[in-house]
Amino acid sequence: MTREDRFAAAGKTAVMQNVHGTISFLLAYPPFNLMEHAHLAWLVEHAQLRFYAAGEQILHPQDGPARQFFIVKQGLIRGERLIAGQPTPDTTFEISTGECFPLAALIGERATRTVHLAGEDTFCLTISRDDFVSLFRRSLPFRDFALRGVSSLLDQVNQQAQQQASDSLGSHYSLDSALGELTGRAPVSCSAETPIRAAVKLMHQASVGSIVITDAQQAPLGIFTLRDLRGLIAEAGGDLEQPICTVMTPDPSHLPSSASAFDAAIAMTSEHIAHICLVDNGRLTGVVSERDLFSLQRVDLVHMARTLREAPRLESLIALRSDIRRLVDSMLAHGASSTQVTRIITLLNDHSVRRVIEICLQQDDPGIEFSWLCFGSEGRQEQTLHTDQDNGILFSADSPSQAEQVRERLLPLARRINQALAECGFTLCKGNIMAGNPQLCLSASEWAERFSRMVNSTTPQNLLASSIYFDFRVVWGKADAAEQMFQAVLKRIASNTLFQQQMAQNALLHRPPIGRLREFILARSGTDKDTLDLKVQGLGPFVDGARLLALANGITASNTLTRLQMLRDAGVIEPLDADAYVEAYQFIQLVRMQQHQQQDASGKTLSNRIDPDQLNHLDRRILRESFRQAKRLQASLALRYNL
């Protein structure tokens, strides 16, 4: 018997002497916790225990096709790869207790692309490739994990959240449900010449709140609702015999039946409507009302939006902030994604901002047309409950002197709006990035000049400003002037490689908090001791990287996930990389929002800092993998811009 055979026999004996303990160990980690007991027992029966001293090489690309499957039982495995232009290998990943490798190489019947080293004294359970293939065929959860990796773990997180909602609220719901599944009957429709009285009779007979006016090919021309009827009756002399086309709302909002309940909720919330037509291949196939939506959601989004938009006083808006918090709690409890929740929060915040502006204008209107700009997370439509103000004003002026006069008239209004927003829960910006600041209450030409300075003069101050002001939207007022100005900015950035390189350097300042020898790099002292920052260290690399690549490639979208998707579609980022970045970003955002939810329920100040020891093993594992994806994105930027 060779020395290697003796080691293998000893490793086999070590496993078989503690079968129960080994199975118990595996059950603590995914995907093994989802596998049938018989399949786990089979795995243990065919496994052996191997020891690797710190620094010992386990796998190397030159070894040829991978022949072993490894599960870390104790210790740490480090993956290293030599990147062109770097004198020393870069640590591309770390694998800790309960994790396994090298899945991609085994499935692809190829060598690993990374050197695997023991980061410390390490014990691994191993099985041969043939046994790996057999287990792959036997166990569906194992096969799903082997093929999809962390994505399958995210499914498990979502399933757990939805199960918790089902247990606590007694019903299952999903914002991802297709609209076609919500319509249990044919839509009620009529022709344009139908008298109003006859159309209302059809609505009454069908017990519906709307009727769709269609042409001969069943394409929707307009819609008439009970609210329209109330307005018609309230008008003196309303003629119910006139054609319905004279009082209908033309060009009704519509979606395909394959669209999701979330798509409908966004449309209703944005457009202040209570009905969405379902149109497939140009033909009306159904109508979804807010009542249909709420029977699924148990979340009255449209009513909330309408209440915000119609709030009579500032005090009413202040009172509604607690309702928004409860709405977020309900959505998170039901397993809504972080992207869905942040979009809803941003939409409701937009309604609040618009209503605050209107209330302040009612008190004292300077009679000047302006646009209210928002920056940062609000500009990206990525707001959470923990948000402050980043805003500005854009107006028209024909000369510098006129701009100064207009500014003096608008500044008092801007400061009232800023203060009113603060009373509604939008914290005043500590850096004074607010419309009440004279430097952010500018004419269109002044804004254009400011953006040009940011691009043409790459000072640290301008680079910091670009990370804030280049994520902007118009929340109130006309958007044309701002959009035209930003198109010119994009052209300057695309042609200024020095500015892009400086932005790339800026995007590498905040490194993801994972290191070589520990799972996470935590603050060592002060009030932040033993914590990391989910926003700056976790979300920041994705936000900064997506912004840079979007601006460099002429993409006008400001939302991080939209930017990543458009960069994927444009071929700037590889599809698999883009998908991994999206999943990582969404998970970090979800952890952040869940923490805010817990802090709010406990009456604590909302914070982005978290102690990872407070997370369960599955969340810790995915969070670590998400930080690794952030690190990969930063490495790709460094390579792209020769940093």
Side-chain angles (χ1 to χ4, degrees), residues 222-453:
I223 191 169
F224 184 79
T225 68
L226 289 178
R227 175 174 292 189
D228 298 326
L229 178 62
R230 288 195 295 269
L232 183 65
I233 297 298
E235 294 179 3
D239 182 7
L240 298 182
E241 299 304 326
Q242 61 182 315
I244 190 76
C245 62
T246 61
V247 292
M248 70 180 186
T249 300
D251 302 320
S253 181
H254 64 275
L255 291 168
S257 58
S258 59
S260 68
F262 178 71
D263 295 327
I266 289 292
M268 290 181 182
T269 305
S270 302
E271 301 175 34
H272 315 125
I273 55 177
H275 298 83
I276 295 284
C277 295
L278 303 187
V279 178
D280 296 304
N281 298 319
R283 293 174 58 87
L284 178 72
T285 59
V287 176
V288 172
S289 69
E290 56 182 305
R291 181 177 299 178
D292 296 325
L293 204 59
F294 301 151
S295 67
L296 173 77
Q297 297 175 337
R298 301 187 174 218
V299 177
D300 201 340
L301 297 175
V302 180
H303 175 72
M304 172 74 73
R306 186 177 297 124
T307 304
L308 288 170
R309 292 293 293 126
E310 297 175 356
R313 301 179 304 279
L314 188 62
E315 291 75 16
S316 303
L317 287 172
I318 296 171
L320 285 169
R321 295 304 295 179
S322 60
D323 292 338
I324 295 177
R325 291 179 183 272
R326 284 193 293 271
L327 174 70
V328 171
D329 289 345
S330 181
M331 292 183 70
L332 285 173
H334 282 94
S337 73
S338 60
T339 303
Q340 292 172 336
V341 176
T342 52
R343 283 194 65 187
I344 290 297
I345 292 176
T346 301
L347 271 172
L348 296 178
N349 284 349
D350 285 353
H351 288 312
S352 298
V353 170
R354 291 169 188 144
R355 190 57 188 149
V356 164
I357 293 172
E358 291 165 358
I359 290 173
C360 290
L361 283 172
Q362 290 172 2
Q363 298 170 353
D364 185 12
D365 187 348
I368 299 172
E369 191 174 89
F370 65 90
S371 298
W372 188 268
L373 311 179
C374 62
F375 310 107
S377 61
E378 187 177 4
R380 296 191 302 272
Q381 297 178 296
E382 296 167 1
Q383 286 187 297
T384 65
L385 294 176
H386 187 212
T387 187
D388 60 2
Q389 294 186 53
D390 289 320
N391 47 52
I393 280 181
L394 181 149
F395 58 84
S396 297
D398 295 329
S399 65
S401 60
Q402 185 184 26
E404 192 61 38
Q405 294 173 2
V406 173
R407 185 166 25 255
E408 289 302 315
R409 294 176 60 185
L410 284 175
L411 281 174
L413 171 65
R415 289 163 182 156
R416 284 198 304 274
I417 294 172
N418 286 144
Q419 190 57 47
L421 288 172
E423 293 177 32
C424 290
F426 299 88
T427 307
L428 292 171
C429 177
K430 294 179 181 179
N432 200 23
I433 303 175
M434 295 183 291
N437 179 346
Q439 297 179 12
L440 299 177
C441 182
L442 305 174
S443 68
S445 59
E446 288 172 333
W447 273 113
E449 182 181 350
R450 177 165 189 157
F451 275 91
S452 295
R453 286 199 305 270

Side-chain angles (χ1 to χ4, degrees), residues 29 53 153 263 267 461 475 502:
Y29 301 95
L153 300 186
D263 295 327
Q461 184 178 2
V475 175
Q502 293 294 321

Side-chain angles (χ1 to χ4, degrees), residues 539-600:
L539 298 175
F542 295 107
V543 171
D544 293 339
R547 178 193 304 112
L548 164 60
L549 294 177
L551 293 173
N553 289 276
I555 293 173
T556 58
S558 58
N559 178 265
T560 299
L561 296 184
T562 303
R563 282 170 166 167
L564 289 173
Q565 183 62 50
M566 295 180 73
L567 289 165
R568 180 189 193 276
D569 295 342
V572 179
I573 300 179
E574 290 294 325
L576 290 178
D577 289 339
D579 294 344
Y581 298 155
V582 166
E583 286 184 342
Y585 178 89
Q586 288 179 320
F587 182 76
I588 297 172
Q589 186 73 282
L590 178 62
V591 173
R592 179 189 178 212
M593 295 182 68
Q594 288 175 334
Q595 168 156 299
H596 287 172
Q597 184 187 28
Q598 294 167 0
Q599 292 169 337
D600 187 55

